[in-house]
Amino acid sequence: MSERYDVAIVGGGLTGLALAWELSKLGIRRVVILERGYTGSGASGRNVGRIRAMQLEPRLTQLALAAQEKHARLGDELGMNTLFWRAGYAWVLYDPIEVERMSALRPMLRSFGVETSLCDANATLDRLPILRGGERPAGALIRPRDAIVHHDALIYGFRRRILDAGVTLRETHEVVDIEVQAGRVAGVAVRSAGRDIAISTDTVVNAAEGWSPEISALVDLSVPNRPVRHEVLVTEPTRPFMQEAITFYRPMEGWFNQTLRGEMVAGVSDPDEPVGLNHSSTFAFLKRTASTLVAKAPRLGHLRVIRQWAGVYDMTPDRLPIVGPAGTVAGLYQANGYSGRGFALAPVLAEKLARTIARGEQHEFLRWCDPGRFESATDWDLHGDYYSGYQYAAASAGGEG
């Protein structure tokens, strides 16, 4: 005899937890979350919780701003301090062409209420003294109100609330099949500790992020999102020496910021990182990150690294998530493809998706994230220049990125 639920969510990370919470608020309490590992064992436990509104593309900017506002409310909503704080965000530019791009970007950001400062080289070094003595920047785009949240605090805040609401959370339960009858979801097959379990449901949500293409493949859905590894290191804690979280894209993507505990978290990505679900961390990453950061900010050179890890970005060609009805299979919903913005965007998109599932509403955000937008595309490219994904997005939207 199978178990019966109104909604089965595949993935026990932030997306799955947030969606279950939003569904419970709308009166749908017979919800099960099926997590192959433990709560937050994927991308949700392998990130640094940056919540920035500065984006290169209008739709992502609106999504990110709404997401930031949602995060600011979550502490009260969950009854738990998520360690949300407005550290600020600095996009440091090392090429004059980047300064031109950011200058052209500011009117779009301002139109949505995202106020920024575009600093020249001298003002950048005054504003970000951690960079003094390193490679001279061409400038920086800075937003003081961008934020950071602690990922563990938020995950377990949601976990506690969904369990209180009566949601069923099944850890170490791997979905091995999705049953479809007459073009509609009828249930899922689950394996746990060598035991097969049948779950009856007419609504399944694929919130597996890095594993989401595997879940889509269970119903023969061809999807463009693929996992790409990103690694992180953490240093010993020290006294506060910086405020804003810093990101740069020359000569490759890199970032660093200091936590509320005084640790520095940082990473420099491999531009040739192959597509694949890989959670191993490497000495090559440590060497690449250390050498690049010391060239940018020599004052960081004395800090000792105490641990490092890896997670994956579930990348899409246009860098927009894939959220909404799958289309070809009634009752199947996608909630993945966040392209490195899952921790920022998941709570607000879960709120909108819950209303679609429970009430048939379709918010504008979900129209932008429609899973069907790639059906006729053949030029899926997850790599290339950082800006290329946004140029793809602008072209598909018929506007400028």
Side-chain angles (χ1 to χ4, degrees):
M1 182 177 179
S2 67
E3 302 175 21
R4 172 71 191 178
Y5 292 94
D6 296 323
V7 180
I9 300 171
V10 185
L14 180 59
T15 297
L17 296 171
L19 179 60
W21 171 240
E22 296 294 343
L23 288 169
S24 73
K25 292 195 298 180
L26 295 173
I28 300 179
R29 298 180 183 274
R30 288 195 57 77
V31 176
V32 62
I33 297 175
L34 302 167
E35 166 55 49
R36 68 189 297 171
Y38 56 86
T39 303
S41 58
S44 295
R46 299 170 181 271
N47 70 89
V48 295
R50 288 184 172 195
I51 315 294
R52 67 176 171 95
M54 284 199 304
Q55 301 287 336
L56 284 171
E57 197 265 342
R59 293 166 299 179
L60 267 173
T61 299
Q62 293 174 76
L63 275 169
L65 189 58
Q68 197 173 92
E69 293 167 353
K70 175 74 172 178
H71 275 278
R73 300 191 300 268
L74 278 174
D76 290 337
E77 186 175 321
L78 299 177
M80 180 173 177
N81 185 358
T82 64
L83 301 182
F84 174 91
W85 65 297
R86 294 190 183 275
Y89 187 91
W91 199 329
V92 182
L93 314 169
Y94 287 93
D95 189 315
I97 194 171
E98 286 193 310
V99 177
E100 293 178 15
R101 282 172 164 166
M102 294 304 104
S103 179
L105 183 70
R106 293 182 70 207
M108 182 276 288
L109 293 172
R110 188 179 302 115
S111 72
F112 299 119
V114 180
E115 295 295 336
T116 61
S117 300
L118 184 60
C119 303
D120 62 16
N122 290 331
T124 296
L125 295 176
D126 288 342
R127 187 78 172 265
L128 307 171
I130 190 66
L131 300 176
R132 291 175 184 166
E135 180 185 350
R136 186 171 176 81
L141 188 68
I142 300 176
R143 183 176 189 251
R145 288 186 56 76
D146 273 347
I148 297 174
V149 67
H150 194 284
H151 60 281
D152 286 338
L154 188 59
I155 284 290
Y156 284 92
F158 271 116
R159 190 181 195 275
R160 184 181 69 174
R161 292 311 299 267
I162 64 162
L163 294 177
D164 289 346
V167 171
T168 300
L169 174 61
R170 297 284 180 84
E171 296 176 307
T172 66
H173 280 59
E174 182 178 5
V175 172
V176 295
D177 196 17
I178 299 175
E179 183 182 357
V180 178
Q181 296 179 359
R184 182 171 189 89
V185 166
V188 294
V190 181
R191 187 164 297 142
S192 179
R195 184 168 61 100
D196 292 332
I197 304 166
I199 290 178
S200 176
T201 183
D202 56 12
T203 303
V204 171
V205 182
N206 180 1
E209 199 59 1
W211 287 271
S212 65
E214 297 179 18
I215 302 302
S216 294
L218 295 177
V219 292
D220 297 322
L221 277 180
S222 177
V223 293
N225 48 316
R226 296 290 185 272
V228 178
R229 178 175 62 170
H230 286 253
E231 300 176 68
V232 183
L233 63 77
V234 178
T235 73
E236 61 188 337
T238 186
R239 64 177 178 79
F241 58 80
M242 62 183 293
Q243 173 72 19
E244 290 88 355
I246 290 176
T247 290
F248 52 87
Y249 290 96
R250 295 289 186 271
M252 60 192 79
E253 179 186 1
W255 51 270
F256 61 98
N257 61 268
Q258 193 170 28
T259 71
L260 289 170
R261 291 180 57 186
E263 302 159 320
M264 188 189 72
V265 294
V268 175
S269 300
D270 180 357
D272 298 317
E273 180 69 41
V275 170
L277 192 56
N278 184 352
H279 281 173
S280 63
S281 198
T282 62
F283 179 74
F285 159 76
L286 178 62
K287 180 179 179 181
R288 179 175 66 247
T289 299
S291 60
T292 304
L293 292 191
V294 170
K296 304 285 188 186
R299 291 172 55 192
L300 301 178
H302 72 285
L303 296 175
R304 291 180 295 180
V305 175
I306 58 176
R307 64 184 184 277
Q308 66 184 74
W309 69 88
V312 296
Y313 289 2
D314 190 23
M315 298 295 293
T316 66
D318 63 1
R319 312 308 193 245
L320 285 163
I322 298 175
V323 183
T328 56
V329 179
L332 179 64
Y333 294 83
Q334 301 282 19
N336 47 65
Y338 283 97
S339 303
R341 292 168 183 78
F343 219 81
L345 302 184
V348 72
L349 287 176
E351 178 182 271
K352 309 311 180 189
L353 182 58
R355 291 183 172 274
T356 296
I357 294 171
R359 299 177 179 175
E361 299 175 8
Q362 188 185 35
H363 193 275
E364 183 179 26
F365 290 171
L366 298 195
R367 288 196 290 274
W368 300 340
C369 300
D370 179 17
R373 70 188 187 274
F374 295 112
E375 287 180 356
S376 61
T378 58
D379 56 341
W380 297 345
D381 180 10
L382 304 180
H383 289 292
D385 181 85
Y386 175 77
Y387 300 95
S388 62
Y390 300 97
Q391 292 163 355
Y392 182 112
S396 66
E400 293 296 324

